[in-house]
């Protein structure tokens, strides 16, 4: 790789570190309902995007140009950002946070599987083995919830929604690879529309909560990091860096995210959780071995 590619790949890798804190800050946001949290975080992400674009270009011309993108670009961006985060926040409200977070982080595995279905790609045996191991890890998570939770209906619904979040984000990421000509500044427009859509949805179905100091700080951290800056560095890294390296790095996110929740005392690390981590992360690594093989070639 050239120096510019290495730099872009490292910048994109920052998104993985930011996303590993998503579950922790979502849990710390406490009583803030999902739509209100979306509006708060994405409003801050929009302001961050404006400041970033102004500093890079010295004007807002690139930002305004993003509003001239085709409708399919807007549908993909808003559906990916709004749909994924709504499912994710809701899942962490309905299901045990650690288990829901692990299910959400099936998205690296799903990206590998979906990428194999793109033109010029095909499914190999290691894709199927990796998917099977991921399903085993998923089954262990559900088993753990049913045996530790007295009423399994709400937790199971939350786990289903967590899987939907993984499905939405993996679909968005793969389809976004087909739009290399769309500038990163367009992400600012996605964040803005997502914040605007969240406001009427919140007013219709939720009760506004005045956050505590901790909840305000958690929402601020979400807007600056995993629900803000991460989108811009990820977009830049995937378009200018090495997507294979970034794909491999993304498998660190579920491990770091789960360990952060355990470290904060949200859940104890037991044998069943360890097996779930092993199957999900191991399955993702096996399914992506083609990327590692290609990386080994000069």
């Amino acid at each position: 790789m050239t120096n510019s590619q290495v730099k872009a790949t490292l910048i994109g890798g920052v998104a993985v570190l930011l996303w590993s804190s998503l579950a922790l800050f979502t849990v710390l946001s406490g009583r803030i309902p999902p739509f209100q949290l979306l509006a708060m975080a994405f409003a801050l992400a929009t302001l961050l995007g404006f400041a970033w674009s102004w500093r890079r270009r010295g004007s807002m011309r690139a930002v305004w140009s993003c509003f001239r993108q085709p409708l399919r670009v807007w549908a993909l961006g808003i559906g990916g950002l709004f749909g994924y985060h709504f499912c994710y926040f809701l899942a962490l409200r309905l299901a045990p946070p650690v288990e829901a977070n692990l299910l959400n982080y099936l998205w690296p595995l799903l990206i590998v599987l979906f990428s194999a279905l793109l033109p010029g790609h095909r499914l190999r045996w290691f894709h199927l083995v990796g998917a099977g191991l991921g399903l085993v890890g998923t089954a262990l998570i559900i088993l753990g919830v049913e045996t530790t939770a007295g009423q399994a209906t709400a937790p199971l619904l939350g786990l289903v929604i967590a899987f939907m979040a993984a499905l939405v984000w993996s679909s968005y990421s793969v389809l976004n690879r087909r739009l290399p000509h769309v500038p990163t500044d367009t992400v600012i427009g996605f964040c803005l529309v997502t914040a605007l859509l969240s406001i009427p949805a919140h007013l219709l179905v939720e009760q506004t909560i005045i956050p505590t100091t901790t909840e305000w700080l958690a929402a601020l951290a979400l807007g600056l990091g995993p629900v803000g800056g991460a989108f811009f560095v990820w977009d830049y890294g995937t378009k200018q860096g090495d997507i294979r390296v970034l794909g491999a790095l993304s498998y660190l996110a579920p491990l770091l995210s789960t360990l952060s929740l355990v470290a904060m005392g949200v859940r104890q690390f037991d044998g069943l959780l360890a097996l779930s981590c092993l199957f999900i992360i191991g399955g993702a690594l096996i399914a992506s071995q083609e990327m590692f093989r290609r990386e080994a070639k000069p």
Side-chain angles (χ1 to χ4, degrees):
M1 289 189 294
T2 64
N3 291 336
S4 61
Q5 287 179 315
V6 172
K7 179 182 177 180
T9 302
L10 292 176
I11 292 175
V14 173
V16 177
L17 297 178
L18 293 175
W19 283 329
S20 68
S21 66
L22 178 60
L24 177 62
F25 290 135
T26 301
V27 171
L28 292 177
S29 66
R31 304 165 302 129
I32 304 178
F35 281 122
Q36 181 181 346
L37 186 58
L38 278 176
M40 295 169 64
F42 275 100
L44 183 58
T46 302
L47 295 177
L48 179 66
F50 277 126
W52 167 77
S53 182
W54 179 270
R55 182 173 181 179
R56 286 177 62 242
R57 304 179 184 275
S59 70
M60 291 288 107
R61 183 176 302 174
V63 178
W64 306 134
S65 66
C66 76
F67 291 97
R68 295 196 295 268
Q69 295 296 327
L71 182 60
R72 61 188 180 91
V73 173
W74 282 95
L76 177 63
I78 297 171
L81 270 62
F82 181 82
Y84 167 73
H85 287 92
F86 172 70
C87 290
Y88 184 76
F89 290 155
L90 186 59
L92 291 187
R93 295 293 192 271
L94 296 178
V98 172
E99 284 81 356
N101 187 55
L102 276 175
L103 273 181
N104 162 71
Y105 277 113
L106 282 171
W107 63 260
L109 172 61
L110 294 176
I111 286 178
V112 173
L113 295 178
F114 293 163
S115 297
L117 299 177
L118 291 173
H121 298 73
R122 62 189 179 92
L123 283 173
R124 302 283 297 280
W125 66 268
F126 44 82
H127 295 137
L128 298 177
V129 170
L133 291 176
L135 289 177
V136 172
T138 301
L140 289 175
I141 289 176
I142 296 175
L143 177 64
V145 171
E146 288 184 334
T147 56
T148 58
Q151 297 179 347
T153 302
L156 284 178
L157 176 60
L159 294 180
V160 171
I161 296 175
F163 178 76
M164 290 175 59
L167 187 63
V168 169
W169 186 252
S170 57
S171 300
Y172 164 78
S173 299
V174 172
L175 292 173
N176 193 48
R177 286 283 295 166
R178 302 174 65 91
L179 302 172
H181 58 283
V182 178
T184 299
D185 298 86
T186 308
V187 177
I188 303 174
F190 298 160
C191 292
L192 175 61
V193 175
T194 298
L196 294 176
L197 288 175
S198 301
I199 294 174
H202 163 66
L203 296 176
L204 285 173
V205 301
E206 295 174 346
Q207 181 179 0
T208 302
I209 298 296
I210 304 300
T212 63
T213 301
T214 299
E215 291 167 346
W216 269 115
L217 291 175
L220 177 65
L222 284 171
L224 292 175
V227 190
F231 300 132
F232 299 99
V233 294
W234 182 254
D235 188 89
Y236 178 79
T238 53
K239 290 176 179 176
Q240 305 297 330
D242 193 316
I243 186 62
R244 294 169 295 178
V245 175
L246 289 173
L249 288 176
S250 67
Y251 299 123
L252 294 175
L255 178 60
L256 294 175
S257 182
T258 301
L259 292 179
S260 68
L261 290 174
V262 172
M264 289 296 294
V266 176
R267 188 193 192 283
Q268 292 185 347
F269 196 85
D270 54 25
L272 193 61
L273 182 58
L275 281 176
S276 299
C277 288
L278 179 63
F279 278 111
I280 290 177
I281 298 174
L285 289 173
I286 290 175
S288 65
Q289 69 169 277
E290 192 173 21
M291 292 189 298
F292 293 105
R293 288 178 177 177
R294 290 177 180 176
E295 279 300 311
K297 293 180 181 180

